[in-house]
């Protein structure tokens, strides 16, 4: 991928798990949890006891971070 090119997470009818977003961004799951604790990273919501990311929120965060 060229520098400055933004990857797109395919939109799906369901929110993405922390593992899905971790794989997409190429970072450890623990990093996503640390970012959430610090108020950084893509927005996530609790669904029961699980975190879920809206693909649109992940894409928006990625574009702002680029």
């Amino acid at each position: 991928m060229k520098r400055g090119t933004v990857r797109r997470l395919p939109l799906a009818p369901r929110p993405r798990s922390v593992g899905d977003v971790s794989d997409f961004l190429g970072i450890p799951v623990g990093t996503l949890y640390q970012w959430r604790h610090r108020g950084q990273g893509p927005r996530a919501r609790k669904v029961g006891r699980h975190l879920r990311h809206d693909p649109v929120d992940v894409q928006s965060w990625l574009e702002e971070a680029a």
Side-chain angles (χ1 to χ4, degrees), residues 9-12 14-21 51-55 58:
L9 184 65
L11 294 179
R14 65 177 179 82
R16 301 297 181 159
S17 71
V18 174
D20 292 339
V21 175
L51 282 181
R52 294 293 181 252
H53 293 83
D54 184 324
V58 174

Side-chain angles (χ1 to χ4, degrees), residues 37-55:
H37 180 74
R38 295 177 187 159
Q40 303 169 327
R43 185 169 51 172
R45 293 173 184 85
K46 292 279 271 187
V47 178
R49 61 182 180 170
H50 304 283
L51 282 181
R52 294 293 181 252
H53 293 83
D54 184 324

